[in-house]
Amino acid sequence: MDSLASVIKPIHEENLVETFITPLVGVLKEYNARGLSHRCIRPDNLFFADKERTHIPLGEGFMTPPGYVQDVMFETIENGMCLPLGRSTGSVYEDFYALGVTLLFLVSGRAPAVGTDNDTLIVNKIEQSSYAALARRERVPKSVKEFLRGVIADDLADSWSLEDIAFWLDGRRVSPQQPEVPPRANRPIRVAGRDYFTGRSLAHGLFRNWDTAPQVIQETDLETWAQRTVGDDALATGISTVMARAAMAEGDEASEMMISWLCMVMDPKGPVRYRTFSAMLDGFGRYMMQAYKDEDEAKLFTEVVFSELPVMWIHNLFGDDTEGAPFLRGIERLRYLLQQTTYGFGFERCLYELNPSMPCGSPLIAEFYVEEPNDLLPALEKVPPELQEKTLPMDRHIAAFIAGRFKHDTDSMLKDLSNRGDPNMVVLATLRMFAVMQWKMGPNKLPVVSQWIGRFLGPIMNNYHNLKTREMIQEFLPQMIKKGSLVEMLNLLDDPARRQGDINGYWRAVDEYAAAKVEIEMLTTEMETQGPRTILAGHRISSMVAFFIAVLIIATMAVTL
């Protein structure tokens, strides 16, 4: 097929089970056993592997985020409401749903619900059930109708399990659960020219018409509509609670939050919705890949994360069930990381923790698709010289990538990397982080990275006070750089015993200098205060000596004469 718009010759029902259903069910069973989901099952991603057209392999399903390239018709109601990057990772349930829709396509030779726009298709799925909305125009062979009704289910509890499918393939009858369609109102609510008959479809309509939604809410008694027209007392109570809460708040933001709260009450299984944002909770991380590149979307995403919407969504869906605990911990973790703005945290850290297969986005190594920590240093070895001249081999992306993927305590190193007031600490932290990675994962020789970092090590050598230590480092460091050993470079420059010895020797010298200075000052002071008295005493002694000499001379002359 060229595209999903293509019209093909319908596949005869006799070939469906043997050629399509049986082998593809076997593939999905293996996926499920490995905890994987394909999320790209659709007619134009199926291929014949032989001329006889009896062997059908699936196309690839891992080059894009889950469900990202899927048409809404192949997605469950909840995922169809999401932005493509906000869709759930999914499970075998989503894969069988897509397989069922694919088989509808194959038996009719064209796309189910052809000519229907996405919003109309989602509303039809909600108000009629997915199977009815997709198959109502098609002639479905009786031999596969039971299977299709079993897998194209709008509730996981109603969907066929692998065991049910195995029974059906063995020829045993398995009755599909009748789809549970939401209570339908006798009188619809009109939004932007379209009628909505259920609370869930109305939630979708309000979200898709965000700017006009406040006016619709203001002009419509939603509580009465839910209670009397739809006949859903629980929904009416939920709407009443939201409206009372919104009345206590003020401002445009409160009005927008009200729309999100109403969407959540009317459609608890739907995505988290706010303005243009719509994502399942486990799709937040993938949405960040898009938001990171757009300042407005990043701001919107951050606003959603720090609002009460994610926690409300969890409580609405799971109540007090412990099944929601991992989602609550995930939101707490996300908020903590976003609050930190230093190296190794923030948006970048979230990207790598929430998207395990996302490669490092640093401009230095983006072309090398570094997905694992042990690929980072070899990629830096290949960075062109012109990119090495003015910057360290470290930026926010590399720091966050290491912190999120490298299984080692990096907290102290990250703290030093963020020390913008002391460039020497940043250089030393970079060397320390890469040295630890080389020690843990190799490779043994990194001459380019060693030389790259070596350009910035001069001031660190001068941090040593002892001239002999400096001379020793200056003698051996070039050898280690040439050898490509970051570990040996770190040990030479940042040996704890050598550094402590240098510090101790420095302070001893400082103490000795201070003591000598004090002694000099004391001697100088003593000379200054005792000088005049010494001269006077000298004069007196000189006079006495001269007197005695004169007496002696006179006496000698008297005797002689």
Side-chain angles (χ1 to χ4, degrees), residues 510-521:
V510 168
D511 290 341
E512 291 173 3
Y513 175 81
K517 188 175 180 180
V518 168
E519 186 175 354
I520 291 170
E521 289 176 352

Side-chain angles (χ1 to χ4, degrees), residues 438-550:
Q438 185 184 32
W439 173 52
K440 290 283 187 179
M441 300 180 299
N444 294 328
K445 295 182 178 181
L446 293 166
V448 173
V449 177
S450 298
Q451 188 175 12
W452 190 348
I453 297 177
R455 298 192 188 102
F456 299 88
L457 295 178
I460 295 176
M461 288 188 287
N462 294 333
N463 279 344
Y464 281 95
H465 305 91
N466 189 290
L467 293 178
K468 291 184 178 180
T469 301
R470 289 189 197 178
E471 291 171 359
M472 183 272 293
I473 293 175
Q474 290 172 351
E475 179 184 354
F476 287 101
L477 183 60
Q479 301 175 24
M480 294 171 183
I481 290 175
K482 186 176 180 180
K483 188 177 179 181
S485 176
L486 298 172
V487 177
E488 293 184 33
M489 289 168 60
L490 178 65
N491 289 337
L492 179 67
L493 285 164
D494 198 37
D495 178 75
R498 181 181 296 116
R499 189 169 290 279
Q500 190 60 50
D502 184 73
I503 292 172
N504 293 341
Y506 171 75
W507 286 113
R508 280 196 305 269
V510 168
D511 290 341
E512 291 173 3
Y513 175 81
K517 188 175 180 180
V518 168
E519 186 175 354
I520 291 170
E521 289 176 352
M522 289 176 61
L523 290 172
T524 302
T525 302
E526 185 176 348
M527 290 176 65
E528 290 175 351
T529 57
Q530 295 185 8
R533 288 181 292 175
T534 304
I535 293 171
L536 180 59
H539 289 169
R540 290 175 179 175
I541 294 172
S542 299
S543 300
M544 292 293 293
V545 171
F547 174 76
F548 284 116
I549 292 174

Side-chain angles (χ1 to χ4, degrees), residues 237-259:
T237 301
I239 292 173
S240 176
T241 302
V242 168
M243 299 304 288
R245 184 177 188 182
M248 298 172 61
E250 297 180 357
D252 294 338
E253 186 176 335
S255 176
E256 292 186 322
M257 279 295 173
M258 177 184 64
I259 302 172

Side-chain angles (χ1 to χ4, degrees), residues 300-370:
L300 176 62
F301 177 77
T302 304
E303 191 174 338
V304 170
V305 170
F306 285 100
S307 74
E308 58 188 0
L309 294 178
V311 175
M312 281 184 64
W313 185 91
I314 295 167
H315 286 309
N316 272 0
L317 189 62
F318 298 106
D320 295 329
D321 198 321
T322 56
E323 192 176 350
F327 289 102
L328 287 171
R329 289 194 296 270
I331 287 296
E332 290 173 4
R333 175 71 174 169
L334 188 56
R335 288 174 175 174
Y336 167 75
L337 292 176
L338 285 175
Q339 283 176 327
Q340 314 301 313
T341 59
T342 55
Y343 267 48
F345 292 92
F347 236 85
E348 296 88 356
R349 177 73 170 271
C350 296
L351 284 173
Y352 300 118
E353 283 204 3
L354 298 180
N355 299 288
S357 61
M358 181 178 176
C360 183
S362 168
L364 291 171
I365 54 173
E367 65 176 294
F368 300 113
Y369 203 91
V370 176

Side-chain angles (χ1 to χ4, degrees), residues 33-230:
R34 289 163 171 76
L36 301 173
S37 56
H38 189 277
R39 300 292 275 109
C40 276
I41 298 175
R42 59 184 186 276
D44 60 349
N45 200 27
L46 295 176
F47 301 89
F48 290 111
D50 57 346
K51 293 181 179 180
E52 293 75 22
R53 299 193 170 193
T54 59
H55 181 54
I56 312 245
L58 274 174
E60 70 85 22
F62 297 99
M63 293 299 289
T64 58
Y68 178 69
V69 294
Q70 288 287 75
D71 191 276
V72 167
M73 77 176 79
F74 300 98
E75 288 291 293
T76 60
I77 293 173
E78 296 79 21
N79 280 318
M81 294 175 176
C82 295
L83 296 166
L85 274 175
R87 290 171 177 169
S88 171
T89 303
S91 64
V92 70
Y93 162 62
E94 281 80 8
D95 281 343
F96 274 121
Y97 184 102
L99 176 60
V101 179
T102 297
L103 291 174
L104 271 177
F105 193 116
L106 297 180
V107 299
S108 62
R110 60 178 185 174
V114 63
T116 306
D117 65 87
N118 288 340
D119 282 331
T120 301
L121 181 57
I122 290 172
V123 171
N124 290 344
K125 283 184 177 184
I126 293 171
E127 296 184 348
Q128 302 169 22
S129 84
S130 287
Y131 180 81
L134 293 167
R136 62 191 177 92
R137 300 180 184 175
E138 313 302 339
R139 178 188 168 274
V140 181
K142 291 182 179 180
S143 58
V144 295
K145 181 179 289 189
E146 190 178 27
F147 174 82
L148 295 179
R149 291 176 66 90
V151 296
I152 306 177
D154 293 325
D155 195 313
L156 180 59
D158 299 332
S159 179
W160 273 8
S161 65
L162 284 168
E163 185 178 15
D164 293 329
I165 294 171
F167 284 158
W168 182 81
L169 288 174
D170 285 343
R172 287 178 275 184
R173 182 172 178 77
V174 182
S175 298
Q177 294 284 340
Q178 290 300 316
E180 186 176 339
V181 179
R184 184 181 175 88
N186 298 321
R187 174 177 56 84
I189 288 181
R190 196 167 186 81
V191 181
R194 176 172 285 165
D195 291 335
Y196 297 92
F197 288 86
T198 70
R200 195 176 190 196
S201 61
L202 177 59
H204 182 68
L206 292 175
F207 169 70
R208 294 294 291 168
N209 298 278
W210 191 269
D211 293 337
T212 59
Q215 182 181 350
V216 173
I217 295 168
Q218 186 178 6
E219 296 174 352
T220 308
D221 188 348
L222 291 177
E223 182 183 354
T224 302
W225 177 78
Q227 189 172 35
R228 297 181 182 178
T229 309
V230 180

